Amino acid sequence: MAKELPTRAEDYAQWYVELVKKADLAENSDVRGCMVIKPYGYTLWENMQRALDKMFKDTGHVNAYFPLFVPKSMFEAEEKNAEGFAKECAIVTHYRLKNDPSKPGKLMVDPEAKLEEELVVRPTSEAIIWNTYKKWIQSYRDLPILINQWANVVRWEMRTRLFLRTAEFLWQEGHTAHATRQEAEQEARLMLDVYAEFAERFMAVPVIKGRKSDGERFPGAVDTYCIEALMQDGKALQAGTSHFLGQNFATAFDVQFSTKEGKLDYVWGTSWGVSTRLIGGIIMAHSDDDGLILPPRLAPLHVVIVPIFRSEEELNKITAAIEPVIGDLRKAGLSVKFDNRDTQKPGFKFAEYELKGVPVRIAVGPRDLENGTLEVARRDTKQKQVLKMEGITTAITALLEEIQSNLFARALKFREEHTTRVDSYEEFKRVLDDKGGFVLAHWDGTTETEQRIKDETKATIRCIPLEGGQETGACVYSGKPSAGRVVFARAY
RNA sequence: CGGGGUGUAGCGUAGCCCGGUAUCGCGCCUGCUUUGGGAGCAGGAGAUCGUCAGUUCGAAUCUGGCCACCCCGACCA
């Protein structure tokens, strides 16, 4: 076990928060509910951004940027959406400070600088974007609009946790406008597929694709799709959402266009997003009691090289021998660090990089120089092997791929072992308490039943799965007919 | 926003009940010995005890106000 890191079994929540801090990903700032994302954590986010951004571009989207502030009247135009977010909005009411006459050296809000109309700090950007699209769209020839933005948003949360829920967070939000219902629905589903692919191929986290129940749907959407991931403590994490907005925002913002047939119609919309929350998901899906385990395809650092030396002379010899190796690894596109500090001992460094989840560690000492070998350790299984220095780049590249697929396989196995079909309410409650994870159960489709189950068990319907849910049965709670099993879980 | 708790060195803490300027560990600095799994020894620096006021010869300690943060609940990606 890592020094001063609680084990997952002892206290999962504490383990998580300590790990985030000790692995240098992020820390709490002095601003309540807000975090500082440190360079190591931010590099991870940048890697995620890069992969996602490419996937967005490959599916025809372009990036743009819309303002942080949304005038209140604009914000409230789509009522359901505004209502849904009202309780967690930060508002700008003034635009100037002045010296406080009663407290020298202190500032106060200048009461004379009150804004005529308050500005809402965006909790999401549908309002400002649809208000803008109105100006851009007249004809079917202007459609579709396929825009994404990378931005920060603010949701004034009561309780926050690093990455998982913070008052300000970073995300991307796609906002598209289409001429037909079918095209918009396809877009929402396409982006859900993109998210699922990203989660599985890059994060190495298996996800269930599904639709949200009425109770869990995004306010203002006709349909909300999501990907749900399972964490090691048996709780679910919503890892991405994609909304089919119907014509709700077009109606609210009066965005009409002339069809080919010369008629006027409202535009069909979608929006979709993933946030820095995914970092929390990566941590909780893979890491162990020794620290982070990061998937190679997103890790800020792929390989760390630790020299074992007694003297400066010895270090010089090692450096000379290892430099070509570093060059080759970098040429192969890998991020490599040679940790030649003489202020820390090798053992300390080993522990440190395990804590930080670097996928592959190479140790090289005098013994290796004699034999032309390197000691290669993989973080996911902690196995060590001695390899020939020659051809090491090929071996490392293959090893990284193997770690990537092993992480996914491991997480998938965990999910399968923690997905349980239940047919009675007693069993439902017992599985939730004893085992956790996803519970597949029949549900009568009503919000009342969903709410009662939530009140009694704290479990919510994570999604109505898109695949493999067709099977008639009786609702575990009410006994009424059900068209298919849905996914229940306690969730973050 | 309800209920509970805590503020003492960069971090974690002792001292508070019973007033006399502060304990220990980690980290940091210097030196020597060490280095294939979190080194050892010796020396050293670092705190107006959250904040404002009150009581007192004297306040980390007692009293009151304020501020901040944490935990539990309701709300949430």
Side-chain angles (χ1 to χ4, degrees):
Chain A
M1 182 189 61
K3 222 181 187 176
E4 290 163 28
L5 188 65
T7 64
R8 289 164 295 173
E10 272 166 17
D11 188 342
Y12 195 83
Q14 199 59 30
W15 165 82
Y16 172 82
V17 96
E18 290 292 320
L19 181 51
V20 168
K21 289 179 187 168
K22 293 210 158 76
D24 240 7
L25 295 173
E27 63 189 40
N28 281 306
S29 76
D30 287 339
V31 184
R32 188 191 166 279
C34 296
M35 65 177 164
V36 174
I37 305 177
K38 299 180 76 176
Y40 192 63
Y42 199 79
T43 305
L44 178 58
W45 177 238
E46 284 178 319
N47 291 347
M48 296 167 76
Q49 281 184 301
R50 191 178 310 117
L52 280 165
D53 203 63
K54 178 164 192 316
M55 293 171 95
F56 298 155
K57 304 268 170 70
D58 287 349
T59 44
H61 302 87
V62 288
N63 286 333
Y65 187 78
F66 294 85
L68 173 67
F69 303 119
V70 186
K72 190 167 131 295
S73 60
M74 198 188 288
F75 183 76
E76 65 201 4
E78 208 296 321
E79 288 175 26
K80 286 198 197 92
N81 185 251
E83 227 180 273
F85 284 111
K87 293 185 298 295
E88 46 192 277
C89 284
I91 326 285
V92 180
T93 56
H94 291 75
Y95 59 87
R96 195 197 298 142
L97 297 171
K98 66 172 193 177
N99 288 320
D100 186 339
S102 65
K103 293 177 195 156
K106 303 286 183 188
L107 295 171
M108 62 181 284
V109 173
D110 186 342
E112 286 173 25
K114 196 166 171 10
L115 288 169
E116 200 134 303
E117 180 176 2
E118 292 93 346
L119 298 173
V120 175
V121 180
R122 62 178 169 218
T124 180
S125 301
E126 275 78 3
I128 187 91
I129 287 179
W130 281 92
N131 183 262
T132 308
Y133 282 180
K134 177 185 176 163
K135 300 176 207 165
W136 293 358
I137 299 167
Q138 278 89 42
S139 149
Y140 71 91
R141 293 192 180 93
D142 298 323
L143 296 170
I145 292 179
L146 303 172
I147 284 180
N148 174 65
Q149 86 165 342
W150 290 96
N152 58 338
V153 287
V154 170
R155 298 181 186 175
W156 213 264
E157 300 290 348
M158 289 290 141
R159 279 188 72 191
T160 60
R161 292 183 72 187
L162 292 166
F163 290 121
L164 296 175
R165 172 159 293 110
T166 46
E168 179 192 17
F169 59 90
L170 305 184
W171 76 345
Q172 61 65 218
E173 45 180 328
H175 296 272
T176 69
H178 306 265
T180 65
R181 173 182 187 115
Q182 192 200 16
E183 193 184 302
E185 280 182 326
Q186 274 172 5
E187 166 77 7
R189 293 288 293 271
L190 172 68
M191 297 324 285
L192 185 72
D193 289 344
V194 164
Y195 287 155
E197 191 188 338
F198 174 76
E200 302 198 334
R201 277 187 51 219
F202 287 86
M203 294 166 57
V205 174
V207 293
I208 295 178
K209 289 190 275 191
R211 208 174 63 244
K212 284 294 187 190
S213 65
D214 292 354
E216 296 275 322
R217 203 196 311 123
F218 175 69
V222 172
D223 263 319
T224 290
Y225 299 99
C226 62
I227 52 173
E228 292 286 329
L230 189 62
M231 303 294 103
Q232 293 179 65
D233 62 346
K235 286 168 84 174
L237 183 80
Q238 185 176 130
T241 52
S242 180
H243 314 289
F244 167 60
L245 302 173
Q247 293 170 307
N248 290 352
F249 282 88
T251 307
F253 288 91
D254 192 30
V255 188
Q256 300 192 65
F257 71 106
S258 304
T259 65
K260 255 183 200 165
E261 295 76 34
K263 289 185 201 150
L264 270 185
D265 196 7
Y266 286 106
V267 170
W268 299 84
T270 81
S271 66
W272 28 275
V274 298
S275 71
T276 38
R277 169 178 245 208
L278 289 182
I279 294 176
I282 293 173
I283 298 165
M284 290 196 294
H286 300 308
S287 303
D288 64 20
D289 293 341
D290 292 316
L292 279 185
I293 297 179
L294 295 176
R297 298 188 80 170
L298 294 174
L301 200 55
H302 295 116
V303 180
V304 63
I305 302 174
V306 178
I308 316 291
F309 58 96
R310 285 164 204 275
S311 63
E312 202 180 323
E313 191 189 345
E314 220 164 57
L315 175 61
N316 290 338
K317 278 187 199 158
I318 291 168
T319 305
I322 204 70
E323 261 170 357
V325 174
I326 296 172
D328 284 350
L329 291 170
R330 291 201 174 128
K331 252 181 254 162
L334 302 181
S335 163
V336 183
K337 177 173 173 180
F338 179 47
D339 187 352
N340 60 1
R341 286 177 297 174
D342 62 358
T343 50
Q344 314 291 349
K345 291 177 61 176
F348 179 91
K349 294 176 185 176
F350 292 174
E352 185 178 27
Y353 293 111
E354 271 159 18
L355 185 63
K356 297 185 86 167
V358 179
V360 171
R361 179 189 75 228
I362 297 176
V364 52
R367 216 186 292 155
D368 295 299
L369 293 193
E370 273 173 39
N371 304 331
T373 58
L374 297 168
E375 185 200 75
V376 176
R378 55 188 286 183
R379 176 63 183 88
D380 59 338
T381 61
K382 300 197 77 185
Q383 284 166 343
K384 289 190 253 192
Q385 54 186 143
V386 176
L387 297 178
K388 283 277 167 207
M389 206 181 286
E390 206 178 304
I392 196 72
T393 302
T394 314
I396 298 288
T397 308
L399 180 58
L400 286 168
E401 278 307 310
E402 195 192 317
I403 293 171
Q404 181 79 31
S405 41
N406 180 47
L407 288 182
F408 179 78
R410 216 151 78 168
L412 183 61
K413 181 164 178 276
F414 179 87
R415 188 188 76 186
E416 280 167 355
E417 286 168 359
H418 292 263
T419 300
T420 316
R421 295 160 70 93
V422 307
D423 291 308
S424 74
Y425 194 48
E426 286 311 307
E427 202 185 350
F428 182 95
K429 287 188 282 195
R430 200 181 64 235
V431 169
L432 273 177
D433 287 339
D434 298 350
K435 186 178 169 189
F438 288 139
V439 179
L440 307 181
H442 281 290
W443 165 59
D444 62 19
T446 66
T447 306
E448 295 72 51
T449 298
E450 182 182 8
Q451 188 60 43
R452 289 218 181 101
I453 293 176
K454 184 180 175 182
D455 292 344
E456 290 173 26
T457 67
K458 288 184 175 171
T460 51
I461 296 175
R462 299 321 302 153
C463 68
I464 302 153
L466 296 179
E467 290 145 21
Q470 287 73 22
E471 170 201 309
T472 53
C475 175
V476 278
Y477 191 84
S478 66
K480 290 179 193 161
S482 149
R485 288 178 189 271
V486 300
V487 181
F488 282 91
R490 295 197 176 122
Y492 277 99

